[in-house]
Amino acid sequence: MKILLDARLYGPENTGLGRYAMNLVDNLAKIDRRNSYTVLLRKEYFDRLNFPPKWNKVLADFRHYSFSEQLSLPRIISQAKPDIVHFPHFNVPIFYSGKFVVTIHDILMHKQKGLEATTLNPISYLIKRLGYKFVFGRAVKAATKVIVPSSFVKKEVSDYYKLDKDKLVVTYEGFDEKVLPTGSSIKVLRNYSLEAPYFVYAGNAYPHKNLKRLIEATVLLNQKSNKKISLAIVSARNFFISRLEKLVKKLNASSYVKLLGFVPDADLGALYQNSVAFAFPSLSEGFGLPGLEAMACGTLVLASDIPVLKEVYKDNASYFNPYDYTSIEKAMEDALALEPAARKENIERAREFAKRYSWDKMARETLKVYESCASLR
């Protein structure tokens, strides 16, 4: 079977989508010696990656959601003559008519509306939103199979588009072992000017991540404490981080909140491990990968009591009401007050739990999806 993977999102700088593409490609390259693969990559990783025999890389250095993608991608795919194509995101070219699998990570943008969620002017935003809905709808309807990261997303997609549930396949994601801490934690903390005690958040700064209430909770926590407690936010710089900087000043939180920008995996594990807890106030997720990373690295996880996070983390996180910053603050306060023996026990239990999730397992289940599609003639 000839399989084509659109891996242009490959790399941790592309946050959750990047980690998914990276671990899918890397693990399939380890486990599958039977099928042949064509991997589409942007220039940075095209120049850096080497693959085993029967794997071919093709340069496809154009942006997602662009006209180049819509026009050039079908031509590149046609030249490769694959039996099945896997698009790891909803942006399937509308002119591509071959057999494909698509991964839908969430339907967040269906629910999140309004100009606060975009950098565009109102007219451009409306045009883009209409285009998004059209491309997304066509992708899930035309796909042979739709891969989703949780049962929660499966239900959302199935209900919204009235799809047969057999068309959707849940493949849980895993934590990236590259994040596990190694070397001197003291040096890492010094490089980021961090001192204990601190909480950590890692992810993007989009409005649905609910960082405003997390910052408000941190301010309240410090008002009630006789010592300084910091919040370290790990997020690549973009327009939403600029908004966040203004919010931090507005809330008089500059002395408590540290915006660290992008942090490489080699450092991220140490930031998790030495934190009081990883705080995840998100209002909407498809899976919740950072929480598993934090568990695997050896810290507590404080998370929104939304269905998808409860599905993935089960009883290995402390949950709070994400719409109430005092509820977030209470969870942070409880984490600080936890007795060392109880803290160690909770961390070790969660660390073992996180091992249930594996990128290797995800890749093997995805390969089964490809093989099932090939049999559908």
Side-chain angles (χ1 to χ4, degrees):
M1 180 168 54
K2 297 174 68 176
I3 302 162
L4 185 142
L5 304 174
D6 178 10
R8 289 173 298 135
L9 281 167
Y10 188 106
E13 65 277 9
N14 292 314
T15 61
L17 294 175
R19 285 200 183 277
Y20 176 81
M22 182 170 63
N23 283 287
L24 175 65
V25 170
D26 292 354
N27 282 278
L28 283 172
K30 291 176 186 175
I31 67 173
D32 191 4
R33 292 290 181 268
R34 184 170 69 253
N35 299 298
S36 62
Y37 287 81
T38 299
V39 186
L40 307 187
L41 295 162
R42 298 198 67 174
K43 186 166 184 11
E44 178 185 2
Y45 288 103
F46 180 86
D47 293 338
R48 288 166 53 183
L49 294 179
N50 293 306
F51 291 116
K54 299 177 72 174
W55 282 66
N56 178 46
K57 57 183 180 180
V58 172
L59 183 64
D61 196 25
F62 36 84
R63 292 184 302 105
H64 286 74
Y65 324 118
S66 65
F67 285 112
S68 295
E69 173 182 77
Q70 290 293 327
L71 298 175
S72 301
L73 207 54
R75 175 178 52 80
I76 292 174
I77 295 172
S78 176
Q79 290 172 348
K81 297 182 172 59
D83 296 306
I84 191 77
V85 177
H86 185 179
F87 296 99
H89 196 30
F90 69 82
N91 54 316
V92 179
I94 58 176
F95 297 115
Y96 180 67
S97 57
K99 183 182 292 186
F100 69 89
V101 171
V102 64
T103 299
I104 299 298
H105 298 270
D106 56 55
I107 59 169
L108 169 67
M109 294 305 295
H110 288 53
K111 299 175 286 185
Q112 184 171 308
K113 303 173 185 178
L115 296 178
E116 74 162 6
T118 183
T119 61
L120 301 174
N121 64 58
I123 294 175
S124 298
Y125 168 72
L126 178 60
I127 293 171
K128 183 176 180 180
R129 184 167 180 79
L130 291 172
Y132 155 79
K133 293 290 289 288
F134 176 77
V135 171
F136 197 113
R138 183 190 174 277
V140 298
K141 291 173 183 175
T144 305
K145 290 285 185 180
V146 177
I147 295 173
V148 290
S150 63
S151 295
F152 174 78
V153 175
K154 178 177 179 176
K155 185 177 187 311
E156 280 202 315
V157 175
S158 175
D159 289 351
Y160 191 94
Y161 287 102
K162 305 297 186 288
L163 300 178
D164 185 336
K165 286 185 169 59
D166 289 341
K167 183 175 181 175
L168 292 96
V169 181
V170 177
T171 63
Y172 287 115
E173 298 176 2
F175 68 87
D176 198 329
E177 293 189 1
K178 298 186 186 75
V179 176
L180 296 177
T182 58
S184 172
S185 294
I186 295 173
K187 183 179 178 182
V188 173
L189 298 188
R190 190 184 301 128
N191 287 344
Y192 293 98
S193 302
L194 272 177
E195 295 180 359
Y198 68 90
F199 291 83
V200 65
Y201 164 83
N204 61 50
Y206 297 150
H208 75 275
K209 296 297 185 178
N210 198 31
L211 295 182
K212 178 177 183 290
R213 291 191 181 98
L214 178 58
I215 294 169
E216 289 173 331
T218 304
V219 171
L220 178 60
L221 185 66
N222 277 276
Q223 289 172 348
K224 296 168 67 174
S225 175
N226 56 10
K227 60 182 177 182
K228 180 181 173 183
I229 304 158
S230 299
L231 169 64
I233 295 178
V234 176
S235 187
R237 293 199 64 85
N238 57 27
F239 173 80
F240 292 101
I241 284 292
S242 298
R243 279 187 182 178
L244 198 62
E245 288 173 335
K246 294 175 183 176
L247 178 64
V248 169
K249 291 179 182 178
K250 181 180 178 182
L251 295 174
N252 296 316
S254 298
S255 59
Y256 312 130
V257 178
K258 295 181 178 294
L259 303 177
L260 304 185
F262 173 75
V263 172
D265 287 348
D267 293 346
L268 184 56
L271 296 185
Y272 283 142
Q273 184 183 53
N274 290 278
S275 68
V276 177
F278 171 73
F280 202 25
S282 183
L283 302 176
S284 179
E285 291 294 323
F287 180 72
L289 178 58
L292 283 184
E293 290 180 346
M295 289 180 195
C297 290
T299 194
L300 302 174
V301 172
L302 315 179
S304 299
D305 60 356
I306 56 177
V308 65
L309 296 187
K310 288 189 169 184
E311 175 190 341
V312 175
Y313 304 156
K314 302 193 183 303
D315 61 353
N316 295 280
S318 296
Y319 296 100
F320 53 74
N321 176 1
Y323 295 96
D324 180 359
Y325 75 91
T326 65
S327 177
I328 302 174
E329 187 273 337
K330 180 64 167 56
M332 297 168 84
E333 195 176 324
D334 290 347
L336 281 163
L338 196 62
E339 291 294 330
R343 176 183 173 85
K344 182 179 179 181
E345 181 182 346
N346 290 350
I347 286 173
E348 288 306 314
R349 185 178 69 247
R351 200 199 300 263
E352 285 302 308
F353 171 79
K355 293 177 183 178
R356 298 182 189 182
Y357 294 95
S358 158
W359 287 115
D360 174 85
K361 183 180 179 184
M362 181 276 293
R364 292 179 187 277
E365 291 173 347
T366 303
L367 181 56
K368 288 180 182 178
V369 174
Y370 301 158
E371 290 169 345
S372 72
C373 290
S375 66
L376 297 174
R377 298 298 183 185

